[in-house]
Amino acid sequence: MKRADEQYCLGIESTADDFGVGVSTFKGEIVANVSSGYIPEEGGIHPREAARHHAEVADKILEEALKKADIKSKDLAIIAFSQGPGLGPCLRTGATVARALASYLNIPLVGVNHSIAHIEIGKLATGTQDPVTLYVSGGNTMVTAYDCGRYRVFGETLDIALGNCLDVFAREAGLKHKKGLPLGAALEQLAAKGKKLVPLPYVVKGMDLSLSGLLTAATTALRNGSCRLEDLCYSLQENAFSMVTEVTERALAHTEKKEVLLTGGVAANRRLQSMLSVIAEEHDARFSVVPREFATDNGAMIAWTGVLAYTHGVVTPVDESFVKLRWRVEKVDVPWLK
Amino acid sequence: MAEVTSGTLLKKGAEASLFLTEWHGRRVIVKVRLPKKYRPTELDEWIRRYRTAHEPELMHEAKLAGVPTPTIFLVDMANAAITMEFVEGKQVKLLLGDISKEQRQELCFRIGEHIGKLHGHGIIHGDLTTSNMILNGEGKVFLVDFGLGEKNTELEAKGVDLHLMKRALQSTHYEFAEECFQNVMRGYAAVLGEQDAKSVLEKIREIERRGRYVAERREEA
């Protein structure tokens, strides 16, 4: 039931393969977080197919979220949606649903930056205040920290994202999506059985890193059949995770912040968590990792970031609600932070 | 080797720790790459050895190219430690905000000249941030920290190097990042010529487009 003194924001996430709807109170209580993932028959995400999936499930997921939150649509105060960055067709599907809902209910619409939402939900869920954040997912790999009105990017991938690198390798190795088990998790399980470190490229360029060469080398070694698959998975993870950890440590040393936050889909990886906790400890910083339910793309993070933005004067008029496929975090004002 | 880590810890960086100490009556910096516990020992040793061996080589070559770098006194491979000259001065990172616009433009121009000289000799610095540039008492700009550098004459490598410089300016000196970078490129062009500067600028744009989510930059370009 809607509590009389409470206001609710419904958030819609649809940047890639997941369509998610979350409901957050203005005080930051997540009362619903429902999603449906599109699983390709083979290969990676086909944007149009994913968008078709989103359109098909939108109704059902919205209904489920409201039911879970135990409120009616008229109880909503605002609608937030993921405005970018992401895949065009997927983003547009979510934005269309959001616009329709907001105008039907005649309530404000708030466009949210997907990457910032990953950071904000991590902060909310772990009680972190001002962290150096490593955000790693299928589409993003970046180290950010807040400074002077914006989240600044201290390091990022020069080419492919970490999750993408791991997923492509996993598919090349013939690993399959199992129920409730993402490809990355299957790779992690194999990697845990690896013993021998196969030499693979380690490419850190200043604060940035490059993963495409590593992926090519790992895939080539796989095709040669010269190494055990377990050893390759292990070596791929060790190299890639060491690279992102090194870059994160550089940002930590540079900013001298006292918190490290790991967020995004790859945050669920235990080995990556353990590497980051080592550097956090060395720099007397507190290490936090986003809980699994908020690690992958989800509607709750959009709802909560929508609340933060709206309560600090941000609204998105419908005629400015076009999606931004390549919307960088340092282009977004975050008036809720000082 | 006890003497390696004695002395005052000047900076505990992510990649290495810097100690200020004395060596044969001179004030020197000892740069030690301490083992990183987060990565596997084999990988860690390889990275530390590789960087310890390459850094002094590149610093020496940079000097030959006419770019001031600290003099190397001792390389201790077993401890991944390099003993080098202590350059007394101020980090450009700390200076940029405190000087006049003209001084800032002049300083950035000279930094650009240094980068031009490096690239002209096939040296890629690998970590061109304003923390790695020191203005000494005589007004000379020293480049330090070649640990991520390499010998490379390809346009791609030069582009990535300068792209990093641009990124570093944007993340640390966003108020005047654009102005600074333009002056860096002017200095760069003064050494390598307009044509080379133009090709590397084009390369930087290409690198930016390759990255994730860069529509805005595309519009700016």
Side-chain angles (χ1 to χ4, degrees):
Chain A
M1 274 299 279
K2 176 185 189 298
R3 275 163 288 165
D5 60 337
E6 201 52 272
Q7 286 182 288
Y8 297 88
C9 171
L10 180 136
I12 298 174
E13 157 59 32
S14 70
T15 49
D17 55 339
D18 290 310
F19 183 84
V21 176
V23 180
S24 168
T25 69
F26 275 30
K27 290 180 189 131
E29 191 191 337
I30 304 298
V31 290
N33 189 27
V34 186
S35 85
S36 166
Y38 146 80
I39 297 175
E41 301 259 322
E42 59 176 305
I45 306 172
H46 189 306
R48 205 178 55 227
E49 292 303 314
R52 190 203 306 254
H53 159 269
H54 297 349
E56 275 166 10
V57 301
D59 246 19
K60 187 173 126 251
I61 301 296
L62 273 171
E63 201 176 315
E64 260 181 58
L66 288 173
K67 203 169 147 201
K68 190 84 194 294
D70 198 14
I71 53 168
K72 299 267 183 285
S73 59
K74 65 173 169 46
D75 299 329
L76 295 169
I78 50 171
I79 303 290
F81 72 105
S82 200
Q83 199 174 359
L87 305 171
C90 303
L91 282 169
R92 276 177 218 113
T93 307
T96 307
V97 175
R99 279 184 215 113
L101 260 180
S103 37
Y104 174 69
L105 297 168
N106 197 21
I107 54 176
L109 185 65
V110 182
V112 166
N113 180 290
H114 173 88
S115 308
I116 287 181
H118 270 290
I119 303 172
E120 290 301 344
I121 196 72
K123 284 163 67 182
L124 176 74
T126 60
T128 309
Q129 301 288 322
D130 182 24
V132 165
T133 304
L134 173 64
Y135 163 38
V136 275
S137 66
N140 291 275
T141 297
M142 64 171 81
V143 181
T144 65
Y146 175 80
D147 192 19
C148 282
R150 301 261 171 108
Y151 281 108
R152 309 283 165 183
V153 176
F154 284 88
E156 64 188 317
T157 177
L158 289 165
D159 37 58
I160 57 173
L162 178 57
N164 188 218
C165 174
L166 299 176
D167 278 357
V168 171
F169 181 80
R171 277 199 297 272
E172 284 287 329
L175 306 185
K176 291 268 187 281
H177 278 282
K178 286 181 208 145
K179 219 175 172 59
L181 191 71
L183 274 182
L187 185 94
E188 183 180 358
Q189 286 178 358
L190 277 179
K193 293 181 203 142
K195 292 185 191 79
K196 189 171 163 276
L197 195 73
V198 180
L200 291 172
Y202 182 97
V203 188
V204 170
K205 304 203 174 204
M207 306 286 260
D208 294 336
L209 56 118
S210 157
L211 293 161
S212 60
L214 172 62
L215 174 61
T216 307
T219 336
T220 310
L222 177 74
R223 288 187 190 142
N224 288 345
S226 49
C227 332
R228 280 173 70 221
L229 178 59
E230 289 84 350
D231 290 337
L232 259 182
C233 292
Y234 165 72
S235 308
L236 175 66
Q237 276 201 17
E238 292 301 312
N239 269 266
F241 294 170
S242 295
M243 282 156 63
V244 291
T245 304
E246 176 170 357
V247 171
T248 309
E249 190 182 10
R250 302 186 118 226
L252 192 59
H254 181 84
T255 59
E256 295 176 357
K257 297 212 186 243
K258 288 295 157 213
E259 291 169 320
V260 177
L261 174 66
L262 174 61
T263 190
V266 192
N269 190 298
R270 293 263 160 77
R271 178 63 183 130
L272 179 58
Q273 292 174 9
S274 85
M275 282 198 192
L276 284 169
S277 69
V278 171
I279 57 145
E281 196 180 322
E282 271 179 25
H283 291 263
D284 299 316
R286 188 171 77 101
F287 173 65
S288 310
V289 56
V290 70
R292 202 170 264 259
E293 59 195 304
F294 302 129
T296 46
D297 294 349
N298 62 88
M301 68 181 194
I302 303 299
W304 168 236
T305 312
V307 168
L308 288 172
Y310 178 72
T311 53
H312 290 81
V314 181
V315 286
T316 309
V318 169
D319 56 4
E320 287 170 26
S321 65
F322 50 86
V323 298
K324 304 173 181 179
L325 275 59
R326 294 166 170 264
W327 193 15
R328 287 183 65 86
V329 299
E330 68 263 66
K331 296 284 176 185
V332 186
D333 282 321
V334 286
W336 58 90
L337 294 176
K338 273 186 200 77
Chain B
M1 197 167 153
E3 64 186 297
V4 162
T5 46
S6 65
T8 328
L9 179 65
L10 267 194
K11 187 178 166 246
K12 187 183 172 187
E15 216 248 323
S17 292
L18 298 183
F19 297 90
L20 179 61
T21 182
E22 266 198 28
W23 185 77
H24 293 287
R26 289 169 186 271
R27 293 175 83 193
V28 294
I29 292 285
V30 179
K31 175 169 183 169
V32 191
R33 290 189 162 84
L34 297 166
K36 292 287 172 193
K37 276 179 278 176
Y38 63 82
R39 55 194 176 203
T41 319
E42 277 168 272
L43 180 62
D44 185 58
E45 278 177 6
W46 181 83
I47 292 168
R48 286 163 54 228
R49 283 182 70 88
Y50 180 86
R51 291 180 183 168
T52 306
H54 276 71
E55 184 167 16
E57 276 176 21
L58 288 174
M59 286 167 76
H60 181 68
E61 295 212 21
K63 267 201 196 61
L64 297 178
V67 176
T69 60
T71 304
I72 303 289
F73 297 126
L74 197 67
V75 180
D76 172 3
M77 288 300 287
N79 291 297
I82 303 169
T83 303
M84 65 182 104
E85 176 189 359
F86 172 59
V87 178
E88 273 189 80
K90 230 177 163 183
Q91 273 184 328
V92 170
K93 176 187 162 189
L94 303 175
L95 272 173
L96 272 188
D98 296 338
I99 53 181
S100 72
K101 189 173 174 181
E102 287 72 33
Q103 286 173 315
R104 195 163 63 227
Q105 289 179 339
E106 196 264 339
L107 184 59
C108 288
F109 183 86
R110 282 202 288 145
I111 290 168
E113 285 181 320
H114 281 356
I115 302 171
K117 285 177 188 166
L118 290 182
H119 287 185
H121 284 76
I123 303 162
I124 301 302
H125 182 277
D127 194 11
L128 287 171
T129 68
T130 49
S131 327
N132 288 333
M133 300 165 186
I134 299 168
L135 184 69
N136 81 351
E138 296 162 23
K140 266 194 198 172
V141 181
F142 278 70
L143 293 194
V144 299
D145 199 355
F146 284 69
L148 297 172
E150 58 174 335
K151 286 284 282 182
N152 195 327
T153 51
E154 285 167 31
L155 185 60
E156 167 78 19
K158 295 173 190 169
V160 171
D161 213 21
L162 277 164
H163 173 236
L164 275 169
M165 173 90 244
K166 190 174 175 188
R167 287 276 325 281
L169 288 167
Q170 282 168 344
S171 64
T172 320
H173 309 284
Y174 32 85
E175 314 96 292
F176 33 74
E178 200 140 314
E179 169 212 304
C180 288
F181 190 69
Q182 275 169 14
N183 283 293
V184 166
M185 287 313 296
R186 273 182 46 229
Y188 191 80
V191 173
L192 293 178
E194 293 294 336
Q195 194 49 47
D196 278 18
K198 210 174 139 226
S199 348
V200 84
L201 263 180
E202 271 163 26
K203 195 68 184 177
I204 294 171
R205 289 203 192 105
E206 186 200 315
I207 291 161
E208 286 169 347
R209 283 198 296 273
R210 219 183 290 156
R212 314 296 298 180
Y213 311 131
V214 283
E216 299 81 0
R217 288 183 184 167
R218 213 180 278 189
E219 282 153 23
E220 278 160 18

